[in-house]
Amino acid sequence: MPGTGASPERTEKTVHLRIDPNDESTTLEDVLSRISELQRKHPDREVFFDGDEYAICSRPKRPKAAAVH
């Protein structure tokens, strides 16, 4: 996006689940379980926890660079 300062990666990010930081009933196990579930459902995407958004997000996996010998 010219002129916006946003990288192309940011525009491809999908938020799957926002987590309320004040909800003490949500455990780390809950978050990791949800991440694993999303990784199985979307093998073509990189699933991660975004601390700025306080959310589980994903983005398309980048092709791996060829190894230079």
Side-chain angles (χ1 to χ4, degrees):
M1 288 184 188
T4 63
S7 71
E9 291 175 12
R10 284 191 86 113
T11 59
E12 295 180 21
K13 179 172 74 174
T14 300
V15 175
H16 294 277
L17 177 67
R18 292 199 186 276
I19 299 169
D20 179 359
N22 299 313
D23 181 3
E24 294 179 6
S25 68
T26 303
T27 66
L28 178 58
E29 185 176 346
D30 296 334
V31 173
L32 294 175
S33 174
R34 191 59 183 262
I35 289 173
S36 293
E37 176 186 324
L38 288 166
Q39 286 171 327
R40 282 191 303 277
K41 280 183 164 178
H42 306 284
D44 58 324
R45 299 186 67 85
E46 173 188 3
V47 181
F48 59 96
F49 180 78
D50 186 324
D52 292 337
E53 300 256 359
Y54 225 79
I56 298 172
C57 304
S58 72
R59 65 177 154 242
K61 287 184 178 177
R62 290 189 212 173
K64 295 190 178 185
V68 178
H69 293 281

